[in-house]
């Protein structure tokens, strides 16, 4: 490699952070692009978040991604956030601007949509009603993405109804809130069903969702990627539905981050996906 003009730096701030898979992915891309640089896990306690973000510029970082629990708090610290982040209510990515100021945006929705489009090229958000289970931060990004893609009807169900109502009020348009008790029936006639709850993650109980009403033609997708196949996805696959797991959402949100930090957009290749899958399987 020729002597680089600059050593590129980026990372992910979280607490805890050592479980994060994103360094593996970003360092793969740095190597693939022949760039000198590194992407590091940054274990930042919540009380230190403001100082850590302010240190990005003097340390020469292009920016960072944010994970639990920093996505909301960071919004108040950065100098500017865009409309997307304001609407979703969280930032997933910070960019150090040429003038040294900090800009925050949210790439999670791009990750969700980019993944579906890569995995199921004929998928259409307007092909039928969509059921979204859950109303946390993940659901907000998913609903935003689905609306950008022209979804005509989103049936939103959450254990705590108020949170779903808040999303419907803020986002308007095609979102209809249904009570938690009706989640099984909410699958009737849908083209897509998305789990955005934490149910089904390693160590947690499976999502309590009966799939009898789900059309066989529907796509079932989850934002969970540990395990790679949640019990919900396994049940959908076993009855003949197409399924997409949440790993690609993580992979695809990295692309716009790279464009903002380094001015290039790397590809989500089968090799990258397999490397990430192997890493997850090795830890389970
Ligand atoms: P994230 O930002 O990852 O979406 P979150 O904001 O904590 O995480 O949201 C978690 C989601 O999982 C919420 O929709 C939550 O439902 P509540 O709003 O009722 O808390 C959902 N969830 C968590 N545990 C659940 C359970 N046991 N049954 C059903 N839904 C659950």
């Amino acid at each position: 490699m020729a002597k680089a003009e600059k050593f590129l730096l980026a990372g992910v701030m979280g607490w805890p952070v050592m479980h994060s898979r994103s360094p593996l992915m970003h360092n793969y891309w740095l190597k693939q692009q022949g760039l000198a640089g590194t992407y590091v896990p940054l274990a930042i306690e919540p009380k230190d978040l403001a100082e850590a973000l302010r240190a990005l510029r003097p340390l020469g970082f292009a920016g960072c991604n944010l994970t639990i629990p920093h996505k909301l708090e960071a919004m108040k610290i950065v100098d500017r956030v865009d409309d997307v982040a304001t609407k979703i209510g969280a930032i997933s990515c910070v960019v150090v601007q040429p003038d040294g100021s900090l800009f925050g945006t949210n790439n999670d929705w791009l990750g969700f949509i980019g993944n579906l489009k890569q995995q199921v090229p004929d998928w259409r958000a307007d092909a039928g009603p969509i059921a979204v289970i859950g109303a946390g931060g993940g659901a907000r990004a998913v609903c935003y993405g689905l609306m950008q893609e022209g979804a005509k009807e989103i049936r939103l169900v959450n254990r705590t109804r108020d949170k779903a109502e808040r999303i419907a009020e803020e986002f308007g348009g095609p979102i209809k809130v249904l009570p938690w008790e009706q989640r099984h029936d909410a699958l009737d006639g849908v083209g897509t069903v998305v789990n955005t709850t934490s149910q089904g993650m390693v160590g947690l109980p499976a999502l309590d969702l009966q799939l009898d009403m789900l059309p066989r033609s529907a796509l079932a997708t989850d934002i969970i990627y540990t395990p790679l196949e949640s019990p919900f996805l396994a049940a959908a696959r076993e009855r003949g539905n197409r399924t997409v797991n949440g790993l690609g959402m993580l992979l695809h949100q990295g692309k716009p981050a790279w464009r903002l930090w380094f001015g290039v957009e790397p590809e989500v290749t089968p090799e990258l996906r397999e490397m990430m899958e192997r890493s997850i399987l090795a830890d389970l």
Side-chain angles (χ1 to χ4, degrees), residues 245-263:
N245 70 22
L247 177 60
M249 182 173 174
L250 170 71
L251 304 178
H252 282 267
Q253 58 78 34
K255 290 171 47 156
W258 259 64
R259 186 168 32 74
L260 293 167
W261 296 331
F262 307 135

mmCIF file of all heavy atoms in Angstrom, residues 245-263:
data_model
loop_
_atom_site.group_PDB
_atom_site.id
_atom_site.type_symbol
_atom_site.label_atom_id
_atom_site.label_comp_id
_atom_site.label_asym_id
_atom_site.label_seq_id
_atom_site.Cartn_x
_atom_site.Cartn_y
_atom_site.Cartn_z
ATOM 1 N N ASN A 245 -33.546 -11.911 7.762
ATOM 2 C CA ASN A 245 -33.159 -11.599 9.145
ATOM 3 C C ASN A 245 -32.585 -10.185 9.273
ATOM 4 O O ASN A 245 -32.461 -9.459 8.282
ATOM 5 C CB ASN A 245 -32.207 -12.664 9.709
ATOM 6 C CG ASN A 245 -30.833 -12.619 9.070
ATOM 7 O OD1 ASN A 245 -30.411 -11.608 8.505
ATOM 8 N ND2 ASN A 245 -30.107 -13.708 9.159
ATOM 9 N N GLY A 246 -32.243 -9.809 10.491
ATOM 10 C CA GLY A 246 -31.861 -8.418 10.753
ATOM 11 C C GLY A 246 -30.403 -8.080 10.485
ATOM 12 O O GLY A 246 -30.020 -6.905 10.567
ATOM 13 N N LEU A 247 -29.599 -9.108 10.136
ATOM 14 C CA LEU A 247 -28.178 -8.812 9.947
ATOM 15 C C LEU A 247 -27.954 -7.775 8.844
ATOM 16 O O LEU A 247 -27.144 -6.860 8.995
ATOM 17 C CB LEU A 247 -27.409 -10.108 9.621
ATOM 18 C CG LEU A 247 -25.926 -9.928 9.322
ATOM 19 C CD1 LEU A 247 -25.190 -9.321 10.504
ATOM 20 C CD2 LEU A 247 -25.283 -11.265 8.920
ATOM 21 N N GLY A 248 -28.704 -7.925 7.769
ATOM 22 C CA GLY A 248 -28.516 -7.006 6.635
ATOM 23 C C GLY A 248 -28.824 -5.558 6.980
ATOM 24 O O GLY A 248 -28.291 -4.636 6.359
ATOM 25 N N MET A 249 -29.693 -5.335 7.984
ATOM 26 C CA MET A 249 -29.996 -3.958 8.391
ATOM 27 C C MET A 249 -28.733 -3.309 8.952
ATOM 28 O O MET A 249 -28.424 -2.155 8.666
ATOM 29 C CB MET A 249 -31.117 -3.960 9.424
ATOM 30 C CG MET A 249 -31.555 -2.595 9.889
ATOM 31 S SD MET A 249 -33.021 -2.736 10.940
ATOM 32 C CE MET A 249 -33.225 -1.049 11.481
ATOM 33 N N LEU A 250 -27.998 -4.105 9.746
ATOM 34 C CA LEU A 250 -26.723 -3.612 10.280
ATOM 35 C C LEU A 250 -25.732 -3.355 9.134
ATOM 36 O O LEU A 250 -25.060 -2.324 9.101
ATOM 37 C CB LEU A 250 -26.145 -4.653 11.256
ATOM 38 C CG LEU A 250 -24.709 -4.390 11.719
ATOM 39 C CD1 LEU A 250 -24.668 -3.201 12.665
ATOM 40 C CD2 LEU A 250 -24.114 -5.615 12.400
ATOM 41 N N LEU A 251 -25.670 -4.285 8.190
ATOM 42 C CA LEU A 251 -24.712 -4.148 7.093
ATOM 43 C C LEU A 251 -25.043 -2.924 6.236
ATOM 44 O O LEU A 251 -24.167 -2.129 5.898
ATOM 45 C CB LEU A 251 -24.714 -5.404 6.211
ATOM 46 C CG LEU A 251 -24.444 -6.744 6.906
ATOM 47 C CD1 LEU A 251 -24.520 -7.892 5.917
ATOM 48 C CD2 LEU A 251 -23.079 -6.734 7.578
ATOM 49 N N HIS A 252 -26.313 -2.778 5.921
ATOM 50 C CA HIS A 252 -26.697 -1.719 4.984
ATOM 51 C C HIS A 252 -26.701 -0.321 5.598
ATOM 52 O O HIS A 252 -26.589 0.651 4.873
ATOM 53 C CB HIS A 252 -28.044 -2.047 4.336
ATOM 54 C CG HIS A 252 -27.935 -3.055 3.241
ATOM 55 N ND1 HIS A 252 -27.776 -2.711 1.912
ATOM 56 C CD2 HIS A 252 -27.898 -4.402 3.285
ATOM 57 C CE1 HIS A 252 -27.662 -3.815 1.180
ATOM 58 N NE2 HIS A 252 -27.745 -4.851 1.995
ATOM 59 N N GLN A 253 -26.820 -0.216 6.933
ATOM 60 C CA GLN A 253 -26.735 1.140 7.496
ATOM 61 C C GLN A 253 -25.283 1.626 7.501
ATOM 62 O O GLN A 253 -25.019 2.816 7.641
ATOM 63 C CB GLN A 253 -27.402 1.267 8.865
ATOM 64 C CG GLN A 253 -26.896 0.357 9.961
ATOM 65 C CD GLN A 253 -25.596 0.820 10.583
ATOM 66 O OE1 GLN A 253 -25.358 2.012 10.700
ATOM 67 N NE2 GLN A 253 -24.743 -0.110 10.935
ATOM 68 N N GLY A 254 -24.345 0.710 7.299
ATOM 69 C CA GLY A 254 -22.938 1.114 7.236
ATOM 70 C C GLY A 254 -22.590 1.861 5.961
ATOM 71 O O GLY A 254 -21.675 2.685 5.950
ATOM 72 N N LYS A 255 -23.322 1.572 4.891
ATOM 73 C CA LYS A 255 -22.999 2.196 3.600
ATOM 74 C C LYS A 255 -23.170 3.721 3.614
ATOM 75 O O LYS A 255 -22.252 4.442 3.249
ATOM 76 C CB LYS A 255 -23.843 1.567 2.486
ATOM 77 C CG LYS A 255 -23.438 0.136 2.180
ATOM 78 C CD LYS A 255 -24.401 -0.574 1.232
ATOM 79 C CE LYS A 255 -24.763 0.250 0.016
ATOM 80 N NZ LYS A 255 -25.193 -0.551 -1.138
ATOM 81 N N PRO A 256 -24.353 4.222 4.026
ATOM 82 C CA PRO A 256 -24.492 5.686 4.064
ATOM 83 C C PRO A 256 -23.539 6.342 5.068
ATOM 84 O O PRO A 256 -23.113 7.486 4.860
ATOM 85 C CB PRO A 256 -25.961 5.914 4.442
ATOM 86 C CG PRO A 256 -26.461 4.609 4.964
ATOM 87 C CD PRO A 256 -25.628 3.543 4.337
ATOM 88 N N ALA A 257 -23.192 5.631 6.137
ATOM 89 C CA ALA A 257 -22.236 6.190 7.112
ATOM 90 C C ALA A 257 -20.884 6.415 6.422
ATOM 91 O O ALA A 257 -20.254 7.464 6.585
ATOM 92 C CB ALA A 257 -22.089 5.259 8.311
ATOM 93 N N TRP A 258 -20.493 5.443 5.633
ATOM 94 C CA TRP A 258 -19.218 5.568 4.909
ATOM 95 C C TRP A 258 -19.237 6.739 3.932
ATOM 96 O O TRP A 258 -18.267 7.466 3.787
ATOM 97 C CB TRP A 258 -18.930 4.265 4.137
ATOM 98 C CG TRP A 258 -17.946 3.408 4.847
ATOM 99 C CD1 TRP A 258 -18.112 2.819 6.062
ATOM 100 C CD2 TRP A 258 -16.641 3.056 4.398
ATOM 101 N NE1 TRP A 258 -16.993 2.110 6.394
ATOM 102 C CE2 TRP A 258 -16.081 2.228 5.387
ATOM 103 C CE3 TRP A 258 -15.903 3.334 3.248
ATOM 104 C CZ2 TRP A 258 -14.798 1.697 5.272
ATOM 105 C CZ3 TRP A 258 -14.625 2.792 3.127
ATOM 106 C CH2 TRP A 258 -14.089 1.999 4.132
ATOM 107 N N ARG A 259 -20.358 6.896 3.240
ATOM 108 C CA ARG A 259 -20.461 8.011 2.280
ATOM 109 C C ARG A 259 -20.253 9.336 3.019
ATOM 110 O O ARG A 259 -19.524 10.210 2.564
ATOM 111 C CB ARG A 259 -21.820 7.976 1.567
ATOM 112 C CG ARG A 259 -21.945 9.012 0.472
ATOM 113 C CD ARG A 259 -23.165 8.781 -0.417
ATOM 114 N NE ARG A 259 -24.321 8.196 0.247
ATOM 115 C CZ ARG A 259 -25.119 8.843 1.080
ATOM 116 N NH1 ARG A 259 -24.896 10.107 1.376
ATOM 117 N NH2 ARG A 259 -26.152 8.227 1.633
ATOM 118 N N LEU A 260 -20.861 9.445 4.208
ATOM 119 C CA LEU A 260 -20.751 10.696 4.973
ATOM 120 C C LEU A 260 -19.348 10.889 5.550
ATOM 121 O O LEU A 260 -18.837 12.000 5.587
ATOM 122 C CB LEU A 260 -21.781 10.704 6.108
ATOM 123 C CG LEU A 260 -23.237 10.771 5.662
ATOM 124 C CD1 LEU A 260 -24.177 10.458 6.824
ATOM 125 C CD2 LEU A 260 -23.552 12.157 5.104
ATOM 126 N N TRP A 261 -18.717 9.824 6.009
ATOM 127 C CA TRP A 261 -17.403 9.951 6.649
ATOM 128 C C TRP A 261 -16.275 10.021 5.629
ATOM 129 O O TRP A 261 -15.367 10.833 5.742
ATOM 130 C CB TRP A 261 -17.104 8.746 7.555
ATOM 131 C CG TRP A 261 -18.003 8.558 8.721
ATOM 132 C CD1 TRP A 261 -18.683 9.514 9.421
ATOM 133 C CD2 TRP A 261 -18.321 7.311 9.353
ATOM 134 N NE1 TRP A 261 -19.394 8.945 10.437
ATOM 135 C CE2 TRP A 261 -19.185 7.592 10.419
ATOM 136 C CE3 TRP A 261 -17.953 5.991 9.117
ATOM 137 C CZ2 TRP A 261 -19.700 6.608 11.257
ATOM 138 C CZ3 TRP A 261 -18.454 5.004 9.939
ATOM 139 C CH2 TRP A 261 -19.322 5.310 10.993
ATOM 140 N N PHE A 262 -16.319 9.094 4.657
ATOM 141 C CA PHE A 262 -15.150 8.886 3.791
ATOM 142 C C PHE A 262 -15.409 9.193 2.317
ATOM 143 O O PHE A 262 -14.498 9.093 1.490
ATOM 144 C CB PHE A 262 -14.657 7.428 3.906
ATOM 145 C CG PHE A 262 -14.397 6.968 5.322
ATOM 146 C CD1 PHE A 262 -14.837 5.727 5.766
ATOM 147 C CD2 PHE A 262 -13.699 7.776 6.232
ATOM 148 C CE1 PHE A 262 -14.592 5.288 7.063
ATOM 149 C CE2 PHE A 262 -13.462 7.344 7.534
ATOM 150 C CZ PHE A 262 -13.907 6.104 7.956
ATOM 151 N N GLY A 263 -16.673 9.535 1.976
ATOM 152 C CA GLY A 263 -16.971 9.924 0.595
ATOM 153 C C GLY A 263 -17.077 8.776 -0.387
ATOM 154 O O GLY A 263 -17.146 8.996 -1.591
#
